[in-house]
Amino acid sequence: MKTSALRALRRKLAANSPVYGLWVTLESPSVTEIAVALGLDWVVIDAEHGHLDWKEIVEHLRATVRSDTVALVRVASLDAGLIKRALDIGADGVVIPWVESAEQFRQAVSYARYSPEGVRGIGAERATCWGQCFVEHTAEANENVLVVPIIETVKTIRQVPLMTKVDGAEVFFFGPADFSATAGFRGQWEGPGVAEQILAMKDTIRQAGQHCGLIASSEADIVARKEQGFRMIGLGLDAGLLIRSLRSALQTVQRSPRMIASLESDPGPPAPLERPPESMRPDRPEVMNAVGSGQRVELSPGVSFECLVGKHNQAHNLTTGWVTFARDAALPYHTHTFTESITLLQGSASVEIEGRKYVLKRMDNVVIPAGLAHSARNLSATEPAVFQVSLATDTPARTLVEKFFSRRTMPDDSTGLPGAERVNRFATAKRFAAGPNTEFIDFFNETLVPGIEMSGGYGLFAPGGRLPAHVHDFDESICIISGEATCIVEGRRYLMSDGATALQPRGRVHYFINETSSTMEMLWVYAGPMPERIIVQERCATAEGNPWR
């Protein structure tokens, strides 16, 4: 047991400073050596999940000797034998999974302490220098050992206030994935409402003078968790960080790998089809719409909507266009019976959803599911604000809402309320390659926003960037927000720029390419919940190979 490291950790927590660590799941002790060399405050060696055996665990513990990195072992269950063994081989403390009550927490602390305060037996192992330091070790162990329960079930919510009163309570960890599963959202990291429940429990624990921890899901999440008041923040799992780094490196060479549960090699995208399925034969032509050519509607004083794709040009289940706010103009609270996506293209603006105010920067996107009351405002007294909006319907309508909402300004990096709105911060959004020399962002789809009716996002095309020839089983809207794009539709070529928006009906073979020396940006929206492309042979996009002739 490294008492000096434990005291250093506690001093940082007492000063309300975050302590950062790594969750270790791989067998090589080099992983922990690297964490120590980089000055991490703690590591958790995972003996609950995965394949680590006790020999590998002790090698990880040895890698932290004579350092200020606290080494904890997550045992497989609340078991006196497992806790004793982890401490006997030199762990500075233990992490206990699935703790659901104050009584279980008391048991865990008892198992980690020597008599008379607990029931831990004294062994002649590493912790006691193989029996040579019985007096020294047992004199300091009870006072210094760290016992961290993991809260990972909804059953625990009511027990949290009682758990904070347990002798030995210092730090509580949260397991969002298991918590989501017990809330009925298996497979989700934070299912609908789970983030709010975790934050509420965090506040209870902090008010009791104790601290909370969890594993961050990304670099942006590390910052967000610190601002939320979490103080024991995991930078990630060792395997997860390795995968993230490899994916980032592969994306620089235009590869977007994915992993599948069978661990078989992902065969990648299927070979292009000879032609689209006959069942997708289109019933309408494509339509190219320049800004200024669409139907205009005044939504409120100083707020106008220009519809570029919609019922007027035979779009199905989709409406897109531009909303312009004059200086200081505002759109009052209203609701829709369908999902809306809002992306700020120009100016300074805010969007409120039931009192939650989000200040947006250029290209920030807000997705508002059906039924949520929302409003928007131009924050500038001198310049207009311009949004691109997408609606999951071809017959849009709104209902004004007069209800008062208590306003609170959300943090600048807030990504919304799980189970409600989703806010995509353009600067930190995850990017991927959808074709050579491209960079794409998924703003919304069924995976990101369960139950949504449409999908869409952002695309950046470097010079020469392009997509393969493809079709969709639903209508698509593509808005060129900067640069110049060449759109190829079954041999017909269109040059698009300055906000021009294409309607590609279901079944039309098309692709976009940047044939200029500058970058090109687009916003795309599909009238379907997942951005699925059916790749076809390139000749299908030519006049000669047009499959629908």
Side-chain angles (χ1 to χ4, degrees):
M1 173 178 285
K2 303 191 302 300
T3 55
S4 62
L6 284 160
R7 288 167 182 162
L9 185 84
R10 288 183 169 105
R11 282 195 299 271
K12 290 181 181 179
L13 291 173
N16 202 33
S17 297
V19 291
Y20 298 103
L22 175 69
W23 213 267
V24 176
T25 66
L26 301 175
E27 58 270 27
S28 173
S30 295
V31 172
T32 297
E33 283 188 310
I34 291 169
V36 169
L38 289 173
L40 293 191
D41 299 296
W42 56 269
V43 295
V44 171
I45 303 156
D46 195 339
E48 179 191 8
H49 298 296
H51 60 274
L52 295 183
D53 61 27
W54 287 101
K55 182 179 183 300
E56 291 162 344
I57 293 168
V58 77
E59 294 304 323
H60 279 290
L61 293 173
R62 283 196 173 103
T64 70
V65 169
R66 291 179 289 280
S67 78
D68 279 335
T69 301
V70 169
L72 307 175
V73 173
R74 175 163 77 164
V75 295
S77 62
L78 176 55
D79 181 279
L82 295 176
I83 292 171
K84 176 169 59 179
R85 190 170 192 183
L87 296 174
D88 279 356
I89 63 173
D92 300 316
V94 287
V95 178
I96 315 297
W98 214 265
V99 177
E100 295 185 296
S101 69
E103 181 54 36
Q104 288 179 333
F105 188 17
R106 287 190 193 94
Q107 280 186 322
V109 174
S110 174
Y111 295 160
R113 289 178 174 176
Y114 293 116
S115 180
E117 290 87 358
V119 296
R120 177 185 172 191
I122 301 174
E125 246 293 339
R126 289 188 73 247
T128 61
C129 297
W130 298 275
Q132 304 307 300
C133 299
F134 277 149
V135 174
E136 177 185 351
H137 174 70
T138 57
E140 64 182 9
N142 284 5
E143 177 185 355
N144 288 288
V145 68
L146 185 60
V147 180
V148 180
I150 307 182
I151 298 171
E152 46 192 340
T153 75
V154 294
K155 184 178 177 180
T156 318
I157 295 174
R158 294 185 180 181
Q159 283 285 315
V160 168
L162 297 175
M163 292 169 69
T164 63
K165 294 180 171 59
V166 172
D167 180 26
E170 298 180 76
V171 180
F172 294 80
F173 225 81
F174 290 101
D178 279 326
F179 196 98
S180 292
T182 66
F185 306 106
R186 186 172 60 198
Q188 297 186 40
W189 180 246
E190 282 185 323
V194 168
E196 291 71 38
Q197 290 173 311
I198 288 176
L199 290 175
M201 289 186 287
K202 179 265 301 180
D203 290 341
T204 298
I205 292 166
R206 295 277 285 168
Q207 289 165 8
Q210 291 143 18
H211 300 280
C212 299
L214 44 62
I215 299 174
S217 58
S218 67
E219 285 80 0
D221 195 40
I222 293 169
V223 177
R225 295 306 190 178
K226 177 185 174 183
E227 293 180 351
Q228 289 171 347
F230 292 91
R231 289 297 173 260
M232 190 171 179
I233 301 173
L235 303 179
L237 277 69
D238 49 8
L241 291 171
L242 176 60
I243 292 168
R244 192 186 308 169
S245 178
L246 286 171
R247 278 182 169 153
S248 177
L250 285 167
Q251 285 172 359
T252 65
V253 292
Q254 285 77 54
R255 292 179 61 182
S256 301
R258 70 184 184 96
M259 300 180 76
I260 54 180
S262 67
L263 295 181
E264 296 174 303
S265 176
D266 180 11
L273 298 180
E274 288 293 323
R275 54 165 290 145
E278 181 61 29
S279 61
M280 292 180 60
R281 179 175 288 273
D283 59 358
R284 293 157 288 144
E286 70 277 6
V287 185
M288 305 294 153
N289 308 280
V291 172
S293 66
Q295 298 181 348
R296 290 182 177 272
V297 178
E298 186 175 51
L299 302 178
S300 67
V303 181
S304 64
F305 171 55
E306 180 181 359
C307 181
L308 295 173
V309 167
K311 190 172 184 179
H312 71 285
N313 47 23
Q314 296 185 290
H316 291 175
N317 302 317
L318 189 62
T319 299
T320 69
W322 288 41
V323 175
T324 302
F325 286 65
R327 59 187 186 182
D328 286 328
L331 190 64
Y333 264 104
H334 60 282
T335 61
H336 302 297
T337 58
F338 42 80
T339 300
E340 179 178 12
S341 164
I342 304 170
T343 305
L344 180 63
L345 301 180
Q346 176 185 328
S348 174
S350 66
V351 172
E352 287 186 25
I353 299 97
E354 298 188 349
R356 298 177 292 277
K357 179 181 177 182
Y358 300 92
V359 177
L360 305 182
K361 298 178 181 178
R362 180 184 180 273
M363 297 309 302
D364 284 351
N365 168 268
V366 184
V367 184
I368 307 162
L372 286 181
H374 57 285
S375 65
R377 178 179 295 276
N378 182 358
L379 299 179
S380 174
T382 59
E383 300 292 333
V386 180
F387 290 92
Q388 194 272 351
V389 301
S390 304
L391 310 168
T393 181
D394 52 36
T395 54
R398 61 191 175 117
T399 301
L400 295 178
V401 174
E402 296 183 359
K403 179 180 177 180
F404 172 77
F405 296 101
S406 178
R407 178 183 296 173
R408 58 189 177 105
T409 300
M410 306 300 285
D412 288 344
D413 61 351
S414 175
T415 55
L417 190 65
E421 68 274 5
R422 175 183 174 86
V423 180
N424 294 283
R425 300 295 183 178
F426 182 74
T428 57
K430 181 179 179 181
R431 286 150 166 84
F432 64 95
N437 299 320
T438 67
E439 185 178 278
F440 271 56
I441 299 172
D442 281 337
F443 282 157
F444 50 96
N445 55 49
E446 193 172 40
T447 299
L448 300 174
V449 187
I452 199 170
E453 315 97 302
M454 60 181 182
S455 52
Y458 164 89
L460 173 69
F461 289 62
R466 61 158 297 166
L467 297 177
H470 61 280
V471 294
H472 304 290
D473 199 22
F474 33 71
D475 285 4
E476 179 185 13
S477 165
I478 309 99
C479 175
I480 307 304
I481 56 177
S482 76
E484 183 177 271
T486 301
C487 176
I488 311 293
V489 189
E490 297 163 5
R492 299 176 289 277
R493 292 174 59 91
Y494 303 91
L495 294 181
M496 300 176 61
S497 62
D498 301 318
T501 303
L503 165 61
Q504 296 292 350
R506 172 185 181 273
R508 286 289 171 203
V509 183
H510 65 284
Y511 66 90
F512 283 80
I513 184 169
N514 181 4
E515 297 180 315
T516 75
S517 59
S518 302
T519 58
M520 177 267 287
E521 296 177 289
M522 65 166 57
L523 292 174
W524 46 272
V525 185
Y526 301 144
M530 286 301 293
E532 297 168 338
R533 292 179 297 166
I534 300 174
I535 310 300
V536 297
Q537 292 287 349
E538 192 80 11
R539 59 182 176 80
C540 294
T542 67
E544 299 76 18
N546 180 355
W548 310 124
R549 289 185 300 171

